[in-house]
Amino acid sequence: MGIETYIDYLKNYDGPDVTFMEVCGSHTAAIAKSGITKVISPKIHLVSGPGCPVCVSPSGYVDRLIALARQPETTVCTFGDLLRIPGTSESLNEAKGSGASVEMVYSPMDVIALAKEHPDQTYVFGAVGFETTVPVYTVLMEQVESEGITNIQVLTALKVMPPVIRWLCDNGARIDGFIAPGHVSVISGSKHFEALSREYGIPFAVTGFSPKELVVGIYGLLRMWEQRQKLLAEGESLTKNFYPSVVTHDGNVIAQAKVEKYFEPGPAVWRGMGEIADSGLYLRKEYAALDAGSRGLDEDHKINKACRCDQVLMGKITSEECPLFGKVCSPLTPQGACMVSSEGSCYQRFLNR
Amino acid sequence: MVITMAHGSGGAATSELIDEIFAKAFDNTVLNEMEDSAVVEGSARIAMTTDSFVVTPLEYPGGDIGRLAVCGTVNDLLMRGATPKYLTCGYIIQEGTDVELLRRVATSMAETAREAGVTIVAGDTKVIEGNGGIMINTAGVGFVPEGLEISATRIQPGDVVLVSGNLGDHHATILGSRMNITNQIESDNAPLTDMVATLLAHKIPVHCMRDVTRGGLATVLKELSDSSKVTITLEEESLPVSPAVRDFCGLLGLDPLYMGNEGKMIVALPAEAAEEALQLLRGANYGADAVQIGVVTEGIDGHGDLLVRTAIGGMRQLDVLQGEGLPRIC
């Protein structure tokens, strides 16, 4: 079938209203940029879930990074997006303006060079991310270990997808299907979502990021949803891989083994949602010396009481339904994390109205 | 040898630096007089502009800060239809700068000025504390022909928008260099002199020209749509991006629409003149990949809009760049 056939099907869909959620920041951006919502039937609702790792990090994590950056002989290094996320009273960028030692880096490996150049300074890497990014941090760990570098630590806010998807299903987010994250699936494999789809009877479509891949993925999701009773009765899986060029059933087992070596699951707080069991990854006890205090950073403070980032992250409201959206809250004056990151749903909604 | 604070003292070391590096590279009769100010021939209408250049790294694939400092200012003059004539340059040099690097930058600047047809008639050097960086300010003067009105406010319904080549090359080069990514991407920094001169020599009725620099095509066109109070609609599939830059952006989650160039421009002109203009651009230096990317219609409720029709037929409304264009995390 040509892409037009898929588009026509989605355009002419006239069944019950369905809500599909993507849980990947890159999908948030790709969907907004594709203009797909203006092409498909208004009965197909696309909502953004907690797919931006920066957006779901609680304020307690940012506060801890700032506290570290204010310690003598300590520099916090992290990615650009994290610099602007509001903590309880300020962001890392604001802290930097008043003397805290903060450096933006493009790769965790940049920290190695800094640490070697300044052996008397301790470098703390603010390591946020999902399954996709964690293997990169294990490469940093390996290098720190093998070269015996003693002045690098990490403060982690690492999270995994299945527990939060389960939490959403259990907590009243009425989702009919998930556009499963393509990048996460490269590492974890499409099998990552099979248990969830079986347990909740909800289809998962592992999908790529180009406009055409999105069309195919959403079409596949809709068809699975329409045929779910039949598929379930026949014992068919409701998880399908529509991104086979890079995603396999089992994922990248080498990367998975590295993650397993350094990290173990534990409870994590998601901004606006609270603590979710086993949804975080923490350095194992053997590597405690590398950890700058990542556990128990639970404080989750709202800078603007009216901010509804939490509802947006759960797909319960669209960005436009937040009373602050586009008024006091814009990319230049973000009131919540969803408006800060380029992967945040409010940021993308603002930019691609 | 490296630059020390003594090179900024105003004494013998300063003179030696100026003689050895700048006077040699920029050599021309006006500058060689070494007077307190340059006295030059003029014109009834002149265009003036200034720009400061801070880039890391100082040298990158396809260019360096010296070439950039000439192109940036020359291109701003050209965009009003001016013929660039004179440049001044102010160097702020951090101590620790390698003198050979400085010589390369000055030489590159001189070559680019020759290519762009401008003379560097005045200059200044300061040395500050630091760690081997160079910052350059240039100011430029150009002559504007009588009766020529090219401006951000003149885009009209019925116009089309052309772009002179591929988007995002400079931005991708700089980001790639900073991230130590090895690839084939080179900066496009270049003077737009030949393309503009060709269009004007053939009396192409250009309404507006703008170089596509920081903020990228989307920011530039959104600002222009606001200034002219028109709706500009782009066709996503016609936007020229090289495969290397497209893949680079895909990996990092960047949007070529918001990535800067230093040797590309957009031209807005009546639709009937578009074909001839495209042929002229494609025959001029740095214009081989010129294409039409969009059309202009009436503005809605007296304000400007920038829209893009996506590859799957969706419509996306674009705003100016918000914050910085940073690579994504996952």
Side-chain angles (χ1 to χ4, degrees):
Chain A
M1 281 204 299
I3 193 76
E4 292 75 20
T5 320
Y6 297 113
I7 294 176
D8 281 348
Y9 192 90
L10 294 173
K11 190 183 289 175
N12 299 322
Y13 172 75
D14 198 27
D17 279 36
V18 288
T19 301
F20 295 149
M21 174 181 270
E22 40 77 11
V23 280
C24 166
S26 299
H27 272 146
T28 309
I31 287 171
K33 284 175 189 166
S34 72
I36 196 168
T37 52
K38 310 212 174 85
V39 177
I40 62 179
S41 160
K43 294 194 153 189
I44 305 171
H45 307 276
L46 301 181
V47 297
S48 294
C52 159
V54 168
C55 304
V56 297
S57 299
S59 59
Y61 176 71
V62 176
D63 293 344
R64 173 77 183 144
L65 280 176
I66 292 171
L68 287 164
R70 291 201 185 284
Q71 282 181 10
E73 280 111 42
T74 307
T75 298
V76 165
C77 300
T78 192
F79 296 128
D81 272 9
L82 196 60
L83 296 180
R84 298 177 55 227
I85 297 285
T88 301
S89 58
E90 59 183 349
S91 67
L92 272 168
N93 239 356
E94 287 160 344
K96 186 181 182 183
S98 62
S101 181
V102 179
E103 290 232 16
M104 185 182 97
V105 295
Y106 291 105
S107 156
M109 297 307 142
D110 295 348
V111 184
I112 302 267
L114 284 169
K116 284 182 178 171
E117 208 173 310
H118 308 284
D120 297 333
Q121 188 81 358
T122 295
Y123 289 88
V124 178
F125 190 82
V128 291
F130 292 131
E131 288 94 323
T132 331
T133 324
V134 182
V136 180
Y137 300 132
T138 68
V139 178
L140 175 69
M141 299 292 131
E142 278 179 344
Q143 204 163 340
V144 166
E145 256 194 307
S146 69
E147 298 195 23
I149 299 168
T150 54
N151 58 333
I152 291 181
Q153 286 188 316
V154 289
L155 190 76
T156 63
L158 302 173
K159 293 180 167 66
V160 290
M161 271 292 144
V164 73
I165 293 176
R166 179 181 301 278
W167 188 91
L168 287 169
C169 293
D170 289 341
N171 284 274
R174 282 192 295 277
I175 307 300
D176 299 303
F178 284 93
I179 299 170
H183 294 141
V184 164
S185 304
V186 170
I187 303 297
S188 303
S190 56
K191 69 173 185 337
H192 207 41
F193 303 103
E194 274 171 0
L196 284 167
S197 69
R198 223 179 1 257
E199 189 177 335
Y200 290 92
I202 294 178
F204 283 71
V206 176
T207 308
F209 298 89
S210 76
K212 287 174 187 171
E213 287 166 341
L214 285 168
V215 166
V216 172
I218 293 167
Y219 168 83
L221 198 53
L222 181 62
R223 294 297 289 148
M224 278 196 283
W225 183 81
E226 289 176 314
Q227 301 168 20
R228 65 194 183 287
Q229 306 298 359
K230 179 169 165 281
L231 290 170
L232 285 170
E234 291 170 356
E236 291 279 327
S237 170
L238 284 182
T239 298
K240 269 197 184 159
N241 178 9
F242 294 94
Y243 197 27
S245 55
V246 292
V247 174
T248 60
H249 180 262
D250 292 330
N252 183 334
V253 290
I254 298 172
Q256 290 167 22
K258 282 183 194 285
V259 173
E260 175 77 19
K261 179 187 169 197
Y262 287 100
F263 295 98
E264 63 186 10
V269 169
W270 295 61
R271 193 177 278 251
M273 290 176 236
E275 185 177 295
I276 302 176
D278 291 335
S279 68
L281 286 177
Y282 298 91
L283 278 171
R284 291 181 181 279
K285 286 201 181 62
E286 307 89 283
Y287 306 103
L290 292 172
D291 193 342
S294 306
R295 292 180 198 247
L297 302 175
D298 295 345
E299 175 148 343
D300 189 15
H301 173 84
K302 267 190 188 183
I303 59 164
N304 187 323
K305 290 267 182 297
C307 170
R308 296 181 70 190
C309 265
D310 47 350
Q311 305 278 301
V312 171
L313 285 169
M314 286 186 265
K316 288 189 173 176
I317 63 166
T318 63
S319 302
E320 287 85 348
E321 290 173 279
C322 172
L324 305 180
F325 179 79
K327 300 184 181 84
V328 294
C329 188
S330 76
L332 296 181
T333 54
Q335 303 296 305
C338 301
M339 191 58 99
V340 174
S341 168
S342 62
E343 299 185 342
S345 42
C346 294
Y347 178 96
Q348 286 296 338
R349 285 273 184 163
F350 186 90
L351 231 58
N352 296 288
R353 279 165 289 176
Chain B
M1 190 173 80
V2 298
I3 298 292
T4 64
M5 294 304 284
H7 287 107
S9 65
T14 308
S15 297
E16 195 186 319
L17 181 71
I18 290 171
D19 290 347
E20 267 304 300
I21 307 262
F22 299 111
K24 263 190 188 162
F26 301 155
D27 180 48
N28 63 67
T29 51
V30 183
L31 188 70
N32 292 351
E33 289 169 4
M34 291 288 167
E35 295 276 4
D36 278 356
S37 58
V39 176
V40 294
E41 297 299 318
S43 144
R45 293 176 85 204
I46 61 169
M48 285 184 70
T49 188
T50 182
D51 208 341
S52 298
F53 300 86
V54 181
V55 63
T56 308
L58 294 167
E59 297 177 295
Y60 44 81
D64 56 75
I65 191 172
R67 183 168 175 81
L68 193 65
V70 173
C71 295
T73 294
V74 162
N75 291 346
D76 284 350
L77 294 172
L78 286 163
M79 294 303 98
R80 298 301 306 278
T83 305
K85 288 288 182 185
Y86 309 116
L87 282 190
T88 70
C89 69
Y91 272 69
I92 296 175
I93 308 165
Q94 290 184 334
E95 60 180 336
T97 301
D98 180 0
V99 171
E100 283 314 308
L101 168 66
L102 191 59
R103 195 189 309 277
R104 288 197 299 277
V105 167
T107 305
S108 166
M109 192 167 184
E111 282 167 6
T112 311
R114 267 193 292 281
E115 182 189 354
V118 288
T119 311
I120 297 171
V121 295
D124 177 55
T125 312
K126 291 284 180 290
V127 177
I128 60 171
E129 290 179 352
N131 193 21
I134 301 173
M135 289 148 264
I136 303 177
N137 171 275
T138 52
V141 171
F143 295 174
V144 190
E146 273 311 312
L148 188 64
E149 293 297 341
I150 293 175
S151 135
T153 60
R154 288 203 60 220
I155 305 177
Q156 294 158 27
D159 282 0
V160 297
V161 180
L162 318 179
V163 67
S164 66
N166 292 337
L167 303 173
D169 294 14
H170 180 73
H171 195 134
T173 304
I174 297 301
L175 210 48
S177 294
R178 287 187 199 160
M179 298 174 78
N180 287 321
I181 294 174
T182 310
N183 55 32
Q184 303 300 312
I185 303 169
E186 288 198 353
S187 169
D188 56 355
N189 60 182
L192 303 168
T193 321
D194 194 37
M195 281 189 273
V196 174
T198 307
L199 291 180
L200 298 184
H202 286 80
K203 307 270 183 248
I204 300 294
V206 173
H207 288 156
C208 173
M209 294 188 281
R210 183 60 70 85
D211 50 342
V212 184
T213 53
R214 277 189 308 179
L217 183 78
T219 302
V220 164
L221 287 179
K222 174 65 175 124
E223 287 172 357
L224 292 177
S225 72
D226 285 340
S227 298
S228 288
K229 300 184 172 56
V230 292
T231 300
I232 299 176
T233 306
L234 304 177
E235 292 295 331
E236 187 172 66
E237 293 205 310
S238 67
L239 296 173
V241 184
S242 74
V245 170
R246 191 175 292 286
D247 289 349
F248 181 84
C249 291
L251 279 173
L252 296 173
L254 298 169
D255 188 343
L257 276 169
Y258 289 96
M259 292 176 63
N261 288 72
E262 288 293 344
K264 299 287 156 47
M265 62 174 182
I266 65 95
V267 182
L269 75 181
E272 53 274 19
E275 200 43 52
E276 188 186 357
L278 278 174
Q279 294 308 326
L280 293 168
L281 289 172
R282 288 172 187 157
N285 291 339
Y286 308 114
D289 298 320
V291 285
Q292 180 177 324
I293 53 169
V295 297
V296 181
T297 51
E298 293 279 353
I300 296 163
D301 301 334
H303 65 80
D305 280 306
L306 177 61
L307 306 174
V308 56
R309 197 186 322 276
T310 69
I312 54 169
M315 202 61 110
R316 173 183 171 201
Q317 186 168 9
L318 299 175
D319 204 340
V320 298
L321 176 69
Q322 307 282 326
E324 304 166 71
L326 295 169
R328 63 146 175 258
I329 290 177
C330 81

